[in-house]
Amino acid sequence: MGTSIEIKAADGSGNFTGYLAVPASGSGPGIVLLQEIFGVNATIREIADYYAEEGYVVLAPDLFWRQAPSIELDYTPEDWQRAFGLFQGFDQELGIEDIAAAVETLRSLPECSGTVGALGFCLGARLAYLTACRCDVDAAVGYYGMGIENHLDEAKNIRGALVLHFAEQDEYCPTVAREAIQASLGGQDNIELYLYQGVDHAFARPHSEHYHKPSALMAHQRSVTAFRNAMGPHYDLSALWDKHCEYEFSTRNVDDTMATMVEQPYVNHIPTLTGGVGYRQLYRFYKHHFVDSNPADTTLIPLSRTIGATQIVDETLFCFTHDREIDWLLPGIAPTGKYVEIPLVAIVKFRGDKLYHEHIYWDQASLLVQIGVLDPTGLPVAGHETAVKLLDETWPSNELMHTWGNSAYR
């Protein structure tokens, strides 16, 4: 996806390379991506491509060029040993000068809109912190950095936003180091510090034995939010989602629907495990099991919408007459002719200006009660009342609790 470019060293000692990834739009704010101790390897390039999808022009400079130009290491025991050797021989002061040169190179590119941030992992996280202290960047984000506690006296120089992610079980940044960082940096308006419980170093690297997807997803959302707030780009996620829904439910055009999404999106309807992962499977799902399977009177009544930097949460009433088999919603259930109203929540994630995934939730028990295939007698489930109470908060509460009457006398 990316290309290699030349960066001129500020001390005149030569040029070094950097991996450049550009968003599909062709331009955007810049991010200098700072490597782990394994060089600009496949993992770093994947991260660069990932943030390019988010709308950023990403430059990953080869910070080990003075020792081993263009080195790429894996995570085998042998490569670990070599990586630690390069780390021990790394000249941090020259490294910061090289990062500053990369920042200026990135800012000068026609693809870059002018604002530049820094993002780093492991060694790169400490360098991202120092970049925030010493270089002209608008935002900096670091994942499981080590040695930051030794440079807290420089924090007074931070002018942009700073976000640091820490792993509770990280031996390279133990509790005493985190406490020192928290005591020095905590509580400042432009600094965010996050601790991820029960996870270890490299929890955000998919190929790591310590990879923890929930923490990685949460950290990524926080990171992109910080970059969005400090540098943009700002997308009208509400309009993008509305257009996607228009193609799904109004014009019912599968190709237009898919065009609003990233190259490899996914949809998961949580109660029925229907949807699809990847373009081919999701296209098949939309084409044969969703877009033309919804009843003609299908209506979505919006109740609330929460818009973040990377996602939307929609609360709606989903209304329809069950006049056909709807296999994504009621697989295997023959039409009953019943009219249904169910509360539905959609959590819609974006990468840049494209939908990445949808997580859709509703109460399947309420739906089954409403179409008459589930007898609610003796069960802690409700039918149409779930929709009624969503619009009328005075509708009685607690009627399914057989002990509710007793508590009035206590």
Side-chain angles (χ1 to χ4, degrees), residues 10-59:
D11 65 355
S13 58
N15 294 344
F16 58 103
T17 61
Y19 178 81
L20 180 70
V22 178
S25 65
S27 64
I31 292 177
V32 174
L33 175 59
L34 306 175
Q35 65 189 56
E36 301 173 300
I37 62 174
F38 305 96
V40 182
N41 60 6
T43 295
I44 295 300
R45 293 193 297 272
E46 287 172 5
I47 295 170
D49 294 343
Y50 189 5
Y51 275 83
E53 279 195 83
E54 294 283 11
Y56 296 96
V57 180
V58 185
L59 177 60

Side-chain angles (χ1 to χ4, degrees), residues 133-144:
C133 296
R134 302 183 190 181
C135 302
D136 181 20
V137 291
D138 297 274
V141 174
Y143 283 71
Y144 30 84

Side-chain angles (χ1 to χ4, degrees), residues 98-403:
D98 290 339
I99 293 168
V103 168
E104 294 310 311
T105 297
L106 179 54
R107 186 174 279 122
S108 69
L109 295 178
E111 296 87 350
C112 181
S113 62
T115 53
V116 174
L119 168 67
F121 297 79
C122 185
L123 166 64
R126 182 171 76 201
L127 297 176
Y129 168 78
L130 291 172
T131 299
C133 296
R134 302 183 190 181
C135 302
D136 181 20
V137 291
D138 297 274
V141 174
Y143 283 71
Y144 30 84
M146 45 185 167
I148 293 174
E149 70 277 9
N150 299 321
H151 301 275
L152 294 174
D153 59 317
E154 298 191 49
K156 61 183 180 295
N157 299 320
I158 299 174
R159 296 184 298 276
L162 175 67
V163 176
L164 298 176
H165 304 289
F166 297 101
E168 184 188 32
Q169 304 297 327
D170 190 350
E171 65 177 306
Y172 303 113
C173 186
T175 301
V176 63
R178 295 197 308 270
E179 289 177 346
I181 294 168
Q182 179 66 46
S184 179
L185 305 182
Q188 299 187 41
D189 291 341
N190 62 326
I191 297 177
E192 301 172 35
L193 307 175
Y194 296 105
L195 178 64
Y196 299 84
Q197 302 288 338
V199 300
D200 208 334
H201 191 82
F203 69 81
R205 189 198 321 135
H207 309 295
S208 167
E209 63 179 321
H210 299 144
Y211 178 62
H212 188 253
K213 188 172 184 178
S215 298
L217 291 174
M218 182 67 75
H220 180 73
Q221 180 176 329
R222 288 165 169 167
S223 299
V224 174
T225 297
F227 285 129
R228 290 272 193 273
N229 291 340
M231 309 190 303
H234 302 291
Y235 302 109
D236 189 347
L237 302 186
S238 184
L240 293 169
W241 173 233
D242 285 342
K243 182 60 68 173
H244 177 85
C245 291
E246 176 187 332
Y247 294 146
E248 284 183 312
F249 296 103
S250 181
T251 63
R252 302 198 178 203
N253 187 302
V254 174
D255 290 299
D256 287 346
T257 299
M258 295 300 298
T260 67
M261 310 186 85
V262 299
E263 290 186 5
Q264 297 299 324
Y266 77 87
V267 170
N268 183 10
H269 298 114
I270 307 299
T272 54
L273 301 179
T274 57
V277 178
Y279 185 92
R280 289 173 60 89
Q281 190 180 87
L282 188 55
Y283 188 98
R284 170 187 168 188
F285 169 76
Y286 277 142
K287 182 73 173 178
H288 301 290
H289 303 277
F290 185 84
V291 168
D292 290 322
S293 298
N294 292 309
D297 68 346
T298 298
T299 304
L300 281 76
I301 302 174
L303 299 176
S304 70
R305 174 169 291 180
T306 304
I307 304 173
T310 65
Q311 68 182 30
I312 282 178
V313 177
D314 250 7
E315 180 186 29
T316 66
L317 277 181
F318 187 62
C319 313
F320 62 93
T321 300
H322 187 215
D323 60 2
R324 68 194 71 185
E325 182 175 345
I326 314 171
D327 56 359
W328 68 270
L329 184 72
L330 291 162
I333 304 295
T336 63
K338 302 284 188 179
Y339 179 73
V340 172
E341 293 183 349
I342 53 171
L344 182 146
V345 174
I347 299 171
V348 187
K349 187 81 168 182
F350 293 79
R351 281 189 188 169
D353 61 351
K354 299 286 187 180
L355 274 76
Y356 170 44
H357 69 65
E358 301 172 34
H359 294 169
I360 311 295
Y361 298 79
W362 67 87
D363 181 355
Q364 188 74 349
S366 174
L367 174 55
L368 296 176
V369 168
Q370 290 187 57
I371 65 171
V373 300
L374 176 65
D375 182 358
T377 304
L379 298 175
V381 298
H384 183 249
E385 300 86 352
T386 61
V388 173
K389 189 169 178 58
L390 198 57
L391 295 178
D392 180 7
E393 67 274 10
T394 66
W395 188 269
S397 299
N398 306 317
E399 291 193 330
L400 293 175
M401 297 166 52
H402 70 277
T403 60

